[in-house]
């Protein structure tokens, strides 16, 4: 009986641990995208996408505009790091 209890407990705890690490990876990906696009950091934008990913964007002259992530990243140029003060 104890073995069954500990087996179930182990499964539940390992699932919880996996969920937390998965959430952390998602948060990191989103943060890379936000930082990269906000501060012109192409390296961070690249980290947010799978290398062979395609983005489906809107365009006024095309019903569906498919852009490879590498092309999307190239639209951003490395920006200067500046000290930003929040007042």
């Amino acid at each position: 009986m104890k073995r069954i209890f500990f087996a179930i407990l182990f499964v539940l705890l390992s699932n919880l641990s996996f969920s937390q690490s998965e959430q952390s990876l998602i948060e990191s990906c989103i943060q890379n995208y936000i930082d990269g696009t906000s501060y012109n950091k192409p390296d961070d934008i690249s980290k947010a996408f799978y290398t062979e990913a395609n983005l489906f964007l809107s365009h006024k002259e095309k019903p569906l505009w498919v852009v490879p992530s590498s092309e999307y990243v190239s639209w951003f140029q490395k920006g200067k790091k500046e000290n930003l003060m929040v007042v």
Side-chain angles (χ1 to χ4, degrees):
M1 188 64 156
K2 285 183 180 181
R3 287 185 181 183
I4 294 173
F5 173 75
F6 284 117
I8 292 172
L9 182 64
F10 176 75
V11 169
L12 291 175
L13 290 177
S14 64
N15 189 25
L16 178 64
S17 175
F18 177 74
S19 296
Q20 288 176 343
S21 66
E22 189 175 71
Q23 180 177 346
S24 174
L25 291 172
I26 293 169
E27 289 171 356
S28 175
C29 178
I30 292 170
Q31 193 63 50
N32 281 328
Y33 178 79
I34 291 171
D35 289 344
T37 56
S38 297
Y39 301 110
N40 287 323
K41 297 179 178 179
D43 295 336
D44 286 356
I45 300 169
S46 293
K47 293 177 189 175
F49 293 105
Y50 178 66
T51 55
E52 298 176 16
N54 288 320
L55 285 77
F56 296 87
L57 305 174
S58 61
H59 191 280
K60 62 183 175 184
E61 297 175 6
K62 300 176 185 179
L64 180 62
W65 186 25
V66 181
V67 178
S69 62
S70 57
E71 182 181 339
Y72 179 76
V73 170
S74 73
W75 297 344
F76 296 86
Q77 297 177 6
K78 285 191 176 184
K80 294 180 181 177
K81 289 187 177 182
E82 299 180 16
N83 293 329
L84 301 175
M85 285 183 41
V86 178
V87 180

